[in-house]
Amino acid sequence: MTRSVYVTGIDRGDGRQVVELGVMELLTRQVDRVGVFRPLVHDGPDRLFELLRARYRLGQDPATVYGLGYQEASALQAEKGTDELVSVLVDRFHRVARDYDVVLVLGTDFADTQLPDELALNARLANEFGASVIPVVGGRRQSARSVLAETRNAYRAYDSLGCDVLAVITNRVAREARDEIAAQLQDRLPVPCWVLPDEPALSAPTVAQITQALGGRVLLGDDAGLARDVLDFVFGGAMLPNLLKALTPGCLVVTPGDRADLVVGSLAAHSAGTPPIAGVLLTLNEQPGEEILTLAARLAPGTPVISVTGSSFPTAAQLFSLEGKLNAATPRKAETALGLFERYVDTTGLSKRVSAPSSGRVTPMMFEHKLLEQARADKRRVVLPEGTEERVLRAAEVLLRRGVCDLTLLGPEDAVRKKAADLGVDLGDTLLIDPATSELRDSFAEKYAQLRAHKGVTVELAYDVVSDVNYFGTLMVQEGLADGMVSGSVHSTAATIRPAFEIIKTKPEASIVSSVFFMCLADKVLVYGDCAVNPDPNAEQLADIAIQSATTAAQFGVEPRIAMLSYSTGTSGSGADVDKVREATELVRSRRPDLLIEGPIQYDAAVEPTVAATKLPCSPVAGQATVLVFPDLNTGNNTYKAVQRSAGAIAVGPVLQGLRKPVNDLSRGALVQDIVNTVAITAIQAQAESAAR
């Protein structure tokens, strides 16, 4: 039977979308096929479903997501009664449930629904669907005493109506009262109760949403600028010095369109990062001259300048009534929402209570979710040397919003802050260090000179070397000021890993540094090694690569079954290349008899059970290999790229292995999500290194 989870509420304004998104995240970690059902829907686009569909790549036909429109449901209930309404909705729910392992049900929203006793209707639908319930209670602008009472009453209401209540989540409480409320609710209910504080960034509209609501015209700005959250409004009418004192991070400056001085001054402050603003809104349907707009565009590229027809007072009234919404066009809000949910909800405990049936498949999305969850469980600090690179900054924002790890960015501090401000990226409390001016430079130079004295490196020479961001970042890892490093989005592989070879060096048990790619196929994850570092390893090195790759696979939840690949299987072939693989296989067996290994073996016999049944019928590895070790770089690199392109696999890596501390290289074509995944992997490697010490 399909497992389903029904997220509902007791009144409007509970910010339930945060919980619905968080539960969807949990479900997609556990199973491959997750369906969505909303029993009743308002006219117009469903913002949350569009977000879920885009974020989780849902293939579900939107026509199957909805039961009835509210007006249709109200008329049906009035004419034929609640039983008939429920019967129709149950039938439509089961049309979805039969095609999915688990269904997330989005309860009614208690807003302009014209339905009597909406809570009871949600409870009955949950029971008829066989769904477990997560009630959400809104605590915004309420006292702690009121929130406590409403939370307990919400549980009792759904429990008394026969619902299987998984947990209760209280949302949007005052941040300063959150800990007190959570402490008072602890052990007051027979089910877990988690308390989420109000998060201003979630209710803050974006510049794009404001532009649409006010019918504004975009004079300047790009998509990234329009996606910025507006956290405050500053109305400009005073002289420029007074306006500058009033600016706050993330504010929207609202000023008459003829005040060119305020426009230029605000954007100049943004350019200097003191503070970064969301944009400028011009009223009265006036705009500065072309020369002012040209100057504005050069001062703060990408920062929005919007023109509206209204005067300041009616515009202000509209602005204060706007509230940001989660939708497919606000992916940064989604990251904030998930970070909030994962910080304050025991996601491991909730996953166990949901106990969705495991599909036995590991999809790319499930693997990526697991990486973030594993990294978050024991936060580490990762240094990113390429602090002024756009993709790195965007990845840093995702990592910070999701609480995956702590970060240090390298580069001139003013340049990093300006680039982040131009992108609308919030770096929070990220540590920024300029290697050229850092107080660490002297001690790092002495350390590097000691390490490379045998190569004739003096302190004076070392002083220049350690100003390089990759050398500086590597020394931070070596000296314990960071747990790992990720670079390579704009640097070559050699520039990224050479400092690691010189400073961190290999583990005592490793003869070489090698790499693996995690190849995320449609239904499983395979580990390929070595596809990036060693051109033509000998038998001894190949055995080392196999052992390292098996260890890495196990760290990330892939049970290692090693296939030592060759152009022949078993004893059918001979020659130097096959003999090398055969010798390497025997070396692994002698060093690590606990590992399952087969070799030499051809790729098809390693991964395809029907071929394995013919070629190696009694092998515990053939047909089900998870770690595939290639005989040389030429074979490995071409194979991983061929599989990536022809099979649509997601290649995560290269992940370096064999170093004493984790340093990982990025492709110069790496996407933001690739960087996020690699940083998470690096943090997990750091956890393993710490546990081994």
Side-chain angles (χ1 to χ4, degrees):
M1 179 178 178
T2 299
R3 179 75 153 136
S4 54
V5 180
Y6 198 118
V7 180
T8 182
I10 60 172
D11 202 352
R12 64 186 302 177
D14 53 26
R16 198 187 321 156
Q17 296 85 357
V18 173
V19 178
E20 291 167 333
L21 183 63
V23 173
M24 185 68 171
E25 184 86 1
L26 291 185
L27 295 177
T28 55
R29 290 177 192 173
Q30 294 179 265
V31 298
D32 179 25
R33 299 182 305 148
V34 181
V36 178
F37 185 68
R38 189 186 288 281
L40 300 175
V41 65
H42 289 288
D43 293 337
D46 184 343
R47 290 187 297 266
L48 183 67
F49 175 68
E50 290 305 315
L51 170 61
L52 297 179
R53 183 165 67 160
R55 184 177 183 85
Y56 299 104
R57 303 188 282 274
L58 302 182
Q60 183 177 354
D61 181 354
T64 68
V65 173
Y66 310 112
L68 295 170
Y70 278 104
Q71 290 185 346
E72 185 183 5
S74 180
L76 179 62
Q77 187 176 36
E79 181 180 351
K80 296 187 178 180
T82 301
D83 287 350
E84 181 63 21
L85 171 62
V86 171
S87 177
V88 170
L89 295 176
V90 168
D91 179 62
R92 296 187 181 181
F93 166 78
H94 283 296
R95 293 180 193 176
V96 175
R98 68 191 179 195
D99 294 328
Y100 295 93
D101 299 317
V102 64
V103 178
L104 172 63
V105 185
L106 312 175
T108 67
D109 58 14
F110 294 86
D112 304 320
T113 61
Q114 301 177 341
L115 293 170
D117 201 357
E118 204 164 334
L119 188 152
L121 176 61
N122 280 291
R124 180 168 177 190
L125 288 175
N127 290 335
E128 297 289 354
F129 296 167
S132 297
V133 174
I134 301 178
V136 182
V137 178
R140 201 175 200 186
R141 301 188 184 93
Q142 293 191 49
S143 66
R145 185 173 182 178
S146 175
V147 171
L148 290 167
E150 283 208 5
T151 303
R152 291 195 294 263
N153 288 337
Y155 168 77
R156 293 191 183 103
Y158 281 100
D159 181 64
S160 67
L161 292 169
C163 294
D164 173 29
V165 180
L166 283 178
V168 181
I169 296 180
T170 303
N171 191 27
R172 306 184 87 174
V173 304
R175 189 168 287 274
E176 62 272 14
R178 186 264 160 199
D179 291 347
E180 175 193 349
I181 293 171
Q184 292 193 40
L185 282 171
Q186 189 173 12
D187 301 325
R188 293 287 187 92
L189 298 176
V191 298
C193 180
W194 294 295
V195 182
L196 278 59
D198 199 18
E199 174 52 65
L202 289 176
S203 55
T206 64
V207 179
Q209 289 171 334
I210 289 175
T211 304
Q212 182 179 14
L214 272 58
R217 289 186 300 123
V218 179
L219 304 180
L220 296 174
D222 56 21
D223 290 342
L226 291 168
R228 296 177 190 173
D229 294 326
V230 177
L231 303 177
D232 192 10
F233 300 106
V234 174
F235 293 87
M239 299 301 289
L240 179 59
N242 292 325
L243 175 72
L244 294 179
K245 294 176 185 176
L247 296 181
T248 57
C251 71
L252 182 69
V253 177
V254 184
T255 181
D258 57 1
R259 291 296 303 271
D261 59 328
L262 302 186
V263 174
V264 171
S266 299
L267 294 175
H270 171 86
S271 179
T274 54
I277 65 174
V280 178
L281 182 69
L282 307 177
T283 60
L284 301 175
N285 201 29
E286 293 195 24
Q287 63 185 63
E290 192 64 34
E291 67 282 359
I292 296 297
L293 288 177
T294 300
L295 175 60
R298 290 177 178 172
L299 276 173
T303 298
V305 177
I306 311 299
S307 175
V308 297
T309 58
S311 61
S312 294
F313 184 78
T315 298
Q318 287 181 277
L319 289 174
F320 286 121
S321 68
L322 291 176
E323 186 168 308
K325 301 291 184 184
L326 285 170
N327 58 45
T330 58
R332 292 166 63 198
K333 284 189 185 297
E335 299 295 351
T336 299
L338 287 170
L340 188 73
F341 184 85
E342 291 161 345
R343 178 176 178 184
Y344 292 101
V345 173
D346 177 6
T347 54
T348 301
L350 182 56
S351 294
K352 291 178 180 177
R353 293 183 67 82
V354 170
S355 62
S358 175
S359 64
R361 291 157 48 96
V362 180
T363 67
M365 186 177 297
M366 291 166 71
F367 182 71
E368 290 176 354
H369 289 338
K370 186 172 182 179
L371 288 180
L372 301 190
E373 185 178 21
Q374 195 171 342
R376 189 186 301 112
D378 182 12
K379 287 177 71 172
R380 299 285 153 167
R381 178 170 293 277
V382 178
V383 58
L384 306 177
E386 299 159 327
T388 57
E389 164 60 28
E390 177 178 343
R391 290 165 294 159
V392 170
L393 287 168
R394 294 199 182 282
E397 185 179 40
V398 172
L399 292 159
L400 293 169
R401 290 188 179 217
R402 297 294 298 276
V404 175
C405 61
D406 296 320
L407 295 174
T408 298
L409 295 177
L410 301 186
E413 185 170 344
D414 289 345
V416 174
R417 291 197 183 281
K418 184 180 185 303
K419 185 68 172 181
D422 289 341
L423 296 171
V425 167
D426 180 9
L427 294 178
D429 58 357
T430 300
L431 181 61
L432 305 181
I433 298 178
D434 182 358
T437 60
S438 172
E439 61 185 16
L440 295 170
R441 187 174 176 182
D442 287 332
S443 61
F444 279 4
E446 291 177 5
K447 179 69 176 179
Y448 183 71
Q450 291 172 9
L451 290 170
R452 304 295 288 172
H454 64 290
K455 293 291 185 178
V457 175
T458 64
V459 173
E460 291 75 15
L461 178 59
Y463 188 77
D464 291 333
V465 171
V466 301
S467 65
D468 176 271
V469 290
N470 285 315
Y471 275 93
F472 193 94
T474 303
L475 281 158
M476 288 188 69
V477 176
Q478 176 66 17
E479 295 300 288
L481 300 175
D483 299 300
M485 185 182 91
V486 174
S487 187
S489 67
V490 292
H491 288 92
S492 68
T493 295
T496 298
I497 66 176
R498 184 186 298 114
F501 291 160
E502 295 178 0
I503 297 167
I504 293 176
K505 303 181 180 177
T506 59
K507 296 177 180 178
E509 68 274 16
S511 63
I512 57 171
V513 172
S514 62
S515 72
V516 295
F517 280 90
F518 290 97
M519 301 300 293
C520 302
L521 304 172
D523 59 351
K524 59 186 173 183
V525 175
L526 300 178
V527 177
Y528 283 11
D530 173 9
C531 305
V533 178
N534 296 286
D536 188 18
N538 59 34
E540 178 86 15
Q541 293 170 330
L542 201 59
D544 204 355
I545 291 169
I547 292 171
Q548 291 179 11
S549 300
T551 301
T552 301
Q555 282 179 358
F556 294 92
V558 178
E559 182 183 352
R561 293 187 293 274
I562 308 167
M564 304 295 285
L565 298 176
S566 177
Y567 58 77
S568 72
T569 296
T571 59
S572 64
S574 61
D577 291 338
V578 180
D579 292 342
K580 178 180 78 170
V581 173
R582 186 174 290 115
E583 181 184 349
T585 304
E586 293 306 317
L587 285 171
V588 174
R589 285 181 175 141
S590 64
R591 293 179 190 172
R592 289 289 304 275
D594 57 306
L595 292 175
L596 294 176
I597 187 168
E598 190 66 68
I601 186 171
Q602 292 162 291
Y603 190 99
D604 58 350
V607 300
E608 178 52 53
T610 56
V611 177
T614 301
K615 293 189 174 183
L616 286 173
C618 298
S619 170
V621 172
Q624 51 184 338
T626 57
V627 177
L628 296 108
V629 179
F630 294 90
D632 54 62
L633 186 60
N634 181 49
T635 308
N637 192 270
N638 279 296
T639 302
Y640 108 75
K641 288 182 177 178
V643 173
Q644 181 185 31
R645 299 301 177 186
S646 61
I650 295 175
V652 180
V655 178
L656 297 183
Q657 50 193 14
L659 289 168
R660 292 175 184 266
K661 295 184 179 182
V663 170
N664 280 309
D665 178 38
L666 297 166
S667 162
R668 275 171 279 183
L671 303 176
V672 170
Q673 190 59 45
D674 298 330
I675 300 172
V676 169
N677 290 339
T678 304
V679 172
I681 284 172
T682 305
I684 295 166
Q685 287 180 309
Q687 293 170 358
E689 294 299 330
S690 178
R693 288 199 290 269

